[in-house]
Amino acid sequence: MPALQRRQLVGHDILLARHGNHISTMRVDRAAGRVIAFLDDGSMDSAPNLIAPALRMPDTFRSILREDWKFLTKVTAAGFGLAGLMFAGAVAVAGGGTPQGLTEMLSAFAAYGSY
């Protein structure tokens, strides 16, 4: 399984190579896939953030959440539903017998679990 890695923003490197110390600020425009630099003289320059558009970048934690949030929400809801059913079953078992029978059942279970 590939490890999650931070994505390398090549737009920063391109703009630094073009303008060096003349860059005052930079920001990432994720929608356009570009890095925008504001220069000391007030002008603006941008560079693409990918080497090749078809290049498959490594996954990050955020990209996995952004792509699979619906699936992860369903799995979480199913897990909570199953835990709720198990809790309800445990309450039903605990409330369904006499206190003497419940005590015997729990003590037998505790003796069975300890070696």
Side-chain angles (χ1 to χ4, degrees):
M1 179 167 178
L4 296 178
Q5 299 175 1
R6 185 174 185 274
R7 293 178 188 240
Q8 299 299 318
L9 304 177
V10 297
H12 285 93
D13 295 336
I14 294 170
L15 291 170
L16 283 171
R18 284 184 196 164
H19 303 289
N21 290 336
H22 300 289
I23 298 174
S24 60
T25 60
M26 279 196 273
R27 70 176 181 86
V28 178
D29 184 2
R30 295 194 191 282
R34 301 184 71 77
V35 176
I36 300 169
F38 298 97
L39 305 175
D40 291 337
D41 63 359
S43 63
M44 209 170 67
D45 190 13
S46 67
N49 215 10
L50 295 175
I51 297 171
L55 181 66
R56 172 86 171 115
M57 297 297 287
D59 289 330
T60 64
F61 187 70
R62 282 187 181 160
S63 69
I64 290 173
L65 286 179
R66 186 172 39 245
E67 293 169 2
D68 298 333
W69 70 272
K70 289 180 183 177
F71 172 73
L72 293 173
T73 302
K74 290 176 185 175
V75 168
T76 302
F80 276 117
L82 183 62
L85 287 175
M86 291 176 65
F87 183 75
V91 168
V93 167
T98 63
Q100 180 65 28
L102 182 62
T103 305
E104 289 176 11
M105 181 180 69
L106 291 175
S107 62
F109 180 74
Y112 178 74
S114 61
Y115 294 100

